[in-house]
C-alpha cells in the first residue's frame, strides 16, 4: 500500500490500525474465494484490479472529483435514484455493509438481535474504516424496514450529513404519490448540496448513463441462462457488487467486454461448471461486499449459481427508465415509475416478488432455489415462507437459509447445502 494512500486515509480520519485489519481480512477472503476459482473469464482481471484498489485508487478518484467541485453521495438502498445524483453533478456510491465490524461498540447503540447488514452500517462508522462513508458529502438513509428506520436515528448523530428519505410500503396510488414527492424533495436536496440545477438535458443524460449500466448487467444476466453457464455466480455477484461504487461509464464498458468474452465461451460450449451440476437461483436479502459466504459454499459444493433475486442482482437492476419525457417533471415521473416496481420485502402485499422468483427459476433453468434471509431480518425471513410454498406448488425444490456474516455456521450450512444439491442431482 502506497504512502499516498495511507496519507489519504489519515486525512479522511480513518482508524489506520482497524482499517489495515479490515483490508487484510478482505484481501485474504478475496484470494481464498475469488482467485481460487478455475476457468474465470479473462475480463474478470478488471474486477480483480478494482477490488485490489477498492480503498485506494477509487477513493483517490472520488477525492479528485471532490477537488473539482463534484459531490459524493452515499446510499444504503437501491431506492435512491442514481439518475438524480448524476444529473446534479454528484457521484452516488453504495455503502456496502457486508462485514461485521466494531460489534461491541455497535451493540451499545443497537440490540444484539438486529440484522447483520444494519449492524455493519453502524460498525463501519463507529470503527472509522470506510473511506466511502468518510468521503461522502451526504449520506442517504431510507425508511424501508423498521430496523433500518430506527438505526438511522442512531447513525444520524454520528454523521453531519444524513438525509432520510421516506418510502411507501404499499403499491397503491398513494404509495406512488409519496415516492414521487420524496424524489422531488431529494432532487431539491441534491441541487442544494451541489448548487447545480437539474435540467431536462442533464437528467436525460443521467438516465441514459444508468440505463446503459443496467443494460450491461441485463446482458450478463441473460448470458447466465446458457447451459453450461459461462461465468460463476460468485463472479457475476461481484460484477453486481462493484456496480454500486465504480464509475458508471467505465463499469459499463468493462462489463460489456466480459459479456463479449462470455458470448464466445457459449459459442464454444464452454462453461465454468460441468453440465450435470445443479443450477441454483439465490433469492432474498442483498449480499454486499464482502458477503460471499453463501455463494462460496454453494459453488464449492457441486452446484453453480445462475441468478440472484436480490437488490445486488436482478431486483436492483430489473427495468430501465423511460428517457423520452420532454420535461424534467416527465423524466421524474419516469424515474418514479421505474423504482416503484422494485419488489422489496418491505412492501405489503408483495406478490410481484413471488411471481418474479418463479419466473426467474424458469428463465434461468434453475434446478432449485436457495432463499437467503439474514438472521433477524423480518421482511425477508417472513416472506421466505410464502416463497417456499409458492415454489412447492410449482414443483420447484427450495431451501431456506438464515445466517449472518460470521463463519461459525459455515460447516453446518455446507452440510445442509450439500444435502440439498445431492437431492437435486
Ligand atoms: S430495496 S432489500 S436495499 S431495503 S436485511 S436492512 S430489509 S432487516 S436491505 Fe434492502 Fe433497499 Fe429493500 Fe433492497 Fe432490513 Fe432485512 Fe436487514 Fe435489509
Amino acid at each position: 500500500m502506497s504512502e499516498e494512500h495511507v496519507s489519504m486515509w489519515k486525512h479522511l480520519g480513518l482508524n489506520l490500525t482497524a482499517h489495515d485489519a479490515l483490508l487484510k481480512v478482505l484481501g485474504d477472503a478475496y484470494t481464498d474465494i475469488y482467485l481460487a476459482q478455475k476457468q474465470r473469464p479473462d475480463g474478470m482481471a478488471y474486477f480483480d484490479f478494482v477490488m485490489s484498489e477498492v480503498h485506494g485508487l477509487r477513493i483517490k478518484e472520488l477525492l479528485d472529483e471532490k477537488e473539482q467541485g463534484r459531490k459524493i453521495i452515499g446510499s444504503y438502498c437501491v431506492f435512491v435514484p442514481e439518475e438524480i445524483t448524476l444529473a446534479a453533478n454528484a457521484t452516488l456510491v453504495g455503502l456496502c455493509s457486508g462485514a461485521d465490524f466494531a460489534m461491541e461498540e455497535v451493540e451499545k447503540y443497537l440490540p444484539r438481535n438486529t440484522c447483520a447488514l444494519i449492524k455493519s452500517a453502524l460498525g463501519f462508522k463507529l470503527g472509522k474504516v470506510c473511506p466511502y462513508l468518510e468521503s461522502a458529502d451526504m449520506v442517504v438513509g431510507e425508511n424501508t424496514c423498521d430496523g433500518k428506520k430506527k438505526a438511522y436515528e442512531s447513525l444520524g448523530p454520528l454523521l453531519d450529513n444524513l438525509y432520510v428519505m421516506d418510502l411507501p410500503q404499499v403499491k397503491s396510488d398513494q404509495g406512488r404519490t409519496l415516492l414521487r414527492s420524496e424524489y422531488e424533495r431529494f432532487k431539491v436536496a441534491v441541487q442544494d448540496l451541489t448548487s447545480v440545477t437539474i435540467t431536462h438535458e442533464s437528467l436525460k443524460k443521467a438516465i441514459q448513463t444508468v440505463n446503459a449500466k443496467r443494460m450491461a448487467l441485463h446482458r450478463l444476466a441473460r448470458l447466465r441462462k446458457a447451459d453450461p453457464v459461462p461465468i460463476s455466480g460468485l463472479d457475476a455477484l461481484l460484477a453486481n457488487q462493484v456496480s454500486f461504487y465504480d464509475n458508471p461509464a467505465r463499469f459499463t464498458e468493462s462489463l460489456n467486454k466480459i459479456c463479449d468474452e462470455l458470448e464466445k465461451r457459449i459459442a464454444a460450449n464452454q462453461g465454468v461448471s460441468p453440465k450435470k451440476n445443479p443450477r441454483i437461483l439465490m433469492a432474498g436479502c442483498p449480499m454486499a461486499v464482502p458477503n460471499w459466504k453463501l455463494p462460496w459454499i454453494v459453488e464449492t459444493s457441486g452446484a453453480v449459481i445462475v441468478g440472484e433475486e436480490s437488490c445486488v442482482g436482478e431486483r436492483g437492476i430489473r427495468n430501465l427508465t423511460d428517457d423520452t419525457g420532454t420535461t424534467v417533471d416527465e423524466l421524474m415521473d419516469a424515474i418514479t415509475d421505474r423504482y416503484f416496481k422494485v419488489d422489496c420485502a418491505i412492501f405489503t402485499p408483495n406478490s410481484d416478488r413471488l411471481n418474479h422468483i418463479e419466473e426467474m427459476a424458469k428463465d434461468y433453468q434453475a434446478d432449485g432455489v436457495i432463499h437467503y434471509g439474514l438472521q433477524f431480518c423480518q421482511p425477508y425471513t417472513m416472506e421466505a415462507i410464502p416463497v417456499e410454498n409458492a415454489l412447492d406448488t410449482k414443483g420447484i425444490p427450495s431451501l431456506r437459509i438464515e445466517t449472518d456474516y460470521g463463519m461459525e455456521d459455515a460447516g453446518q450450512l455446507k452440510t445442509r447445502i450439500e444435502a440439498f444439491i445431492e437431492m437435486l442431482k
Side-chain angles (χ1 to χ4, degrees), residues 249-319:
R250 184 178 57 210
F251 173 88
T252 304
E253 195 191 324
S254 308
L255 186 57
N256 274 322
K257 273 193 202 141
I258 293 180
C259 290
D260 293 343
E261 190 185 341
L262 298 185
E263 278 170 1
K264 287 191 195 127
R265 280 188 166 200
I266 293 170
N269 205 25
Q270 201 189 340
V272 279
S273 169
K275 260 191 154 195
K276 64 175 176 26
N277 282 1
R279 301 164 63 90
I280 302 289
L281 174 72
M282 300 292 299
C285 291
M287 289 179 182
V289 171
N291 178 11
W292 302 310
K293 177 171 77 172
L294 208 51
W296 172 64
I297 293 175
V298 172
E299 295 201 322
T300 51
S301 301
V304 63
I305 297 169
V306 291
E308 295 79 23
E309 187 280 322
S310 156
C311 284
V312 185
E314 201 139 322
R315 191 186 319 123
I317 57 161
R318 187 184 286 125
N319 301 313

Side-chain angles (χ1 to χ4, degrees), residues 77-79 115 118 144-145 148 285-286 311 315 344 374 377 380:
C77 180
V78 299
F79 269 105
C115 96
I118 297 172
T144 44
C145 64
K148 271 184 164 180
C285 291
C311 284
R315 191 186 319 123
C344 172
L374 269 175
C377 165
Y380 283 93

Side-chain angles (χ1 to χ4, degrees), residues 3 20 268:
E3 268 181 37
D20 278 358

Side-chain angles (χ1 to χ4, degrees), residues 76-80 114-119 142-149 152 167 244 284-286 310-312 315-316 342-347 372-381 405:
Y76 294 105
C77 180
V78 299
F79 269 105
V80 179
T114 304
C115 96
L117 197 146
I118 297 172
K119 281 185 178 171
E142 15 57 51
N143 289 342
T144 44
C145 64
D146 285 351
K148 271 184 164 180
K149 256 188 301 229
Y152 293 131
L167 284 186
F244 284 87
C285 291
S310 156
C311 284
V312 185
R315 191 186 319 123
V342 175
D343 51 359
C344 172
I346 60 141
F347 282 93
Y372 159 68
L374 269 175
Q375 223 172 13
F376 310 122
C377 165
Q378 285 184 341
Y380 283 93
T381 53
Y405 292 165

Side-chain angles (χ1 to χ4, degrees), residues 4 12 17 20 41 56 77-78 140 172-173 272 291 305 307 340 343 385 387 393:
E4 194 188 2
L12 286 171
T17 312
D20 278 358
C77 180
V78 299
V140 186
S172 59
D173 289 347
V272 279
N291 178 11
I305 297 169
F340 199 48
D343 51 359
I385 298 167
V387 167
T393 58

